[in-house]
Amino acid sequence: MLYAIISEDINNSLEKRKAARPAHLERIQDLVDEGRVIVAGPHPAVDTEDPGEAGFTGSLVVAEFSSLEEAQTWANADPYVAAGVYARVTVKPFKKTLP
């Protein structure tokens, strides 16, 4: 089943994000390589592709996991969690309807 992992950053998270980004992306790439990711990416703090020093306000990953528990465990082990980037992480079942 698909699950949405919706993460919200702490204020001024950019430096912590930069430090943990390689490990964060490596984990997501593993899911991509397994064909399990529908979409993944950050939410820019301002309305532009590259927010520069404004940074990001959170992230979204929609991916396939065998259960809500597995998705939650995966989300909890994110390097951004360990680095203190995220203030909150919500994991919910997701039903893709379109396209």
Side-chain angles (χ1 to χ4, degrees), residues 5 27-28 31 61 65 69-78:
I5 301 169
R27 288 183 79 242
I28 294 174
L31 293 180
V61 175
F65 293 92
E69 181 180 351
E70 181 192 9
Q72 186 69 61
T73 298
W74 186 89
N76 290 345
D78 193 301

Side-chain angles (χ1 to χ4, degrees), residues 39-91:
V39 65
H43 301 286
V46 293
D47 189 13
T48 182
E49 288 279 325
D50 181 1
E53 292 303 311
F56 300 90
T57 62
S59 301
L60 171 66
V61 175
V62 177
E64 185 177 340
F65 293 92
S66 62
S67 67
L68 178 59
E69 181 180 351
E70 181 192 9
Q72 186 69 61
T73 298
W74 186 89
N76 290 345
D78 193 301
Y80 280 175
V81 171
V85 171
Y86 293 148
R88 177 180 22 237
V89 177
T90 303
V91 180

Side-chain angles (χ1 to χ4, degrees), residues 5-23:
I5 301 169
I6 306 153
S7 306
E8 298 175 43
D9 282 23
I10 62 168
N11 290 330
N12 303 311
S13 63
L14 188 57
E15 291 309 312
K16 289 183 178 188
R17 266 184 172 270
K18 287 178 182 178
R21 189 170 190 264

